[in-house]
Amino acid sequence: MSTADPTIGASPAEARPRVGRVLNTPLCLTTYDDFIQQCRQLVRRPQPTAVDFVNTQVVTMRRHHPWFEAITRDFEFFIPDGMPLVWCLNWQGAGLRDRVYGPTFMRLCLTQTPAPLAHYLIGGSPECGARLRAAIQRWNPDTRVVGAYHGWCDRDGRMEAAAEEQVIDEINRLSPDFVWVGLGTPKQHAWIHRYRGRIRRGLLLGVGFAFDANAGTKRDAPLWMQRRGLTWVFRLFSEPLRLGPRYVRYNTLFLRYLICDWLRPRAREAEAEST
């Protein structure tokens, strides 16, 4: 792991968060409030901007799978969603007090961005979508959700042929400021990669589990587990058959790559001292 770099990806026209790296993924050193304010500025861009709320699986997949790194290469912002990433960044000197958890960020951002700002939802089942929209209205009745797609997507992020043109045309016609994409990893990344070139403007935010968590269709970990970095344990026991193999594979790879990155500069230092 390298030390935090405040200049990576900086734009002369916009103030951006400082950035640290874990497994070579540039992670924004930000907070809920700061990034919501950043989003208010980003929606003014005349082109789409891609944001992902990342956990250890995502940074590991970006390191391990060239195809996944390729489809996420053009994302402008990676936000640390998992506590293990915060611990890694703080070990580098980031000084973060908390993660920016996708479900919590989505709830806060939707509450604090009422009309005339507009939102569009991609993902979740029709039941999840209906419950999520009801929850959004409870949080803030002035929040403006202008449309949604709760249909099927394949692993490559492709929507059903009959819906594809309709959804993209609707997004461009309605011009939402926020397009929330809750398809999970890697579908949401593939969806953003596939369609961002056809979307004229707006923030495209990959938030994964946030749809189900905020709609109440799946239980989230209690706060004490979240604070201790145990969200994955709670979710593993909630969905062992689906999440078990994934967690075993990518948690192991994450630790392996983390140790390799820690050892590599020390090996170079030892080699330099011996010459």
Side-chain angles (χ1 to χ4, degrees), residues 37-164:
Q37 292 306 311
Q38 183 78 32
C39 288
R40 288 177 174 272
Q41 300 300 316
L42 291 170
V43 297
R44 300 177 183 177
R45 284 181 167 184
Q47 71 277 347
T49 301
V51 178
D52 191 35
F53 291 81
V54 306
N55 54 19
T56 56
Q57 180 189 350
V58 171
V59 299
T60 304
M61 289 182 68
R62 295 190 79 247
R63 176 71 166 265
H64 190 71
H65 298 299
W67 65 266
F68 189 71
E69 194 279 334
I71 68 172
T72 57
R73 189 176 299 154
D74 294 333
F75 279 57
E76 285 85 354
F77 295 89
F78 295 100
I79 309 300
D81 168 280
M83 285 305 299
L85 297 181
V86 171
W87 298 334
C88 291
L89 291 167
N90 283 345
W91 183 73
Q92 301 172 24
L96 295 174
R97 298 181 63 182
D98 196 4
R99 61 180 176 168
V100 181
Y101 184 41
T104 302
F105 180 86
M106 183 182 186
R107 183 172 68 253
L108 293 173
C109 187
L110 281 159
T111 302
Q112 295 177 31
T113 52
L117 294 174
H119 302 264
Y120 197 99
L121 309 174
I122 299 285
S125 65
E127 177 196 1
C128 173
R131 294 176 65 173
L132 178 58
R133 293 180 76 157
I136 292 168
Q137 286 301 297
R138 289 197 301 273
W139 302 335
N140 186 347
D142 293 328
T143 303
R144 184 172 168 236
V145 178
V146 295
Y149 173 73
H150 302 299
W152 175 86
C153 287
D154 67 13
R155 183 179 174 85
D156 295 325
R158 185 184 292 107
M159 293 180 284
E160 296 173 295
E164 186 176 62

Side-chain angles (χ1 to χ4, degrees), residues 25 104 125 134 209 221 258 273:
T25 289
T104 302
S125 65
F209 178 60
L258 205 62
E273 291 175 358

Side-chain angles (χ1 to χ4, degrees), residues 4-5 7 16 37 52 63 66 115 129-130 140 156 171 182 184 193 198-199 216 221 233 254 257:
D5 184 343
T7 64
R16 293 174 60 103
Q37 292 306 311
D52 191 35
R63 176 71 166 265
N140 186 347
D156 295 325
I171 289 174
H193 174 72
R198 297 172 58 186
I199 294 173
V233 176
F254 175 75
Y257 283 127

Side-chain angles (χ1 to χ4, degrees), residues 192-240:
I192 292 171
H193 174 72
R194 174 176 294 278
Y195 294 112
R196 71 174 290 173
R198 297 172 58 186
I199 294 173
R200 292 179 191 146
R201 62 167 297 274
L203 273 179
L204 312 178
L205 302 107
V207 291
F209 178 60
F211 279 39
D212 282 311
N214 284 319
T217 48
K218 291 183 181 178
R219 291 179 60 203
D220 203 354
L223 286 177
W224 70 267
M225 295 188 76
Q226 294 186 32
R227 294 190 186 105
R228 290 164 175 79
L230 297 175
T231 300
W232 70 273
V233 176
F234 182 89
R235 295 203 61 206
L236 174 61
F237 278 94
S238 299
E239 302 179 79

Side-chain angles (χ1 to χ4, degrees), residues 118 144 146 170-178 200-202:
R144 184 172 168 236
V146 295
E170 183 175 67
I171 289 174
N172 286 327
R173 175 173 55 83
L174 297 172
S175 192
D177 302 283
F178 297 82
R200 292 179 191 146
R201 62 167 297 274

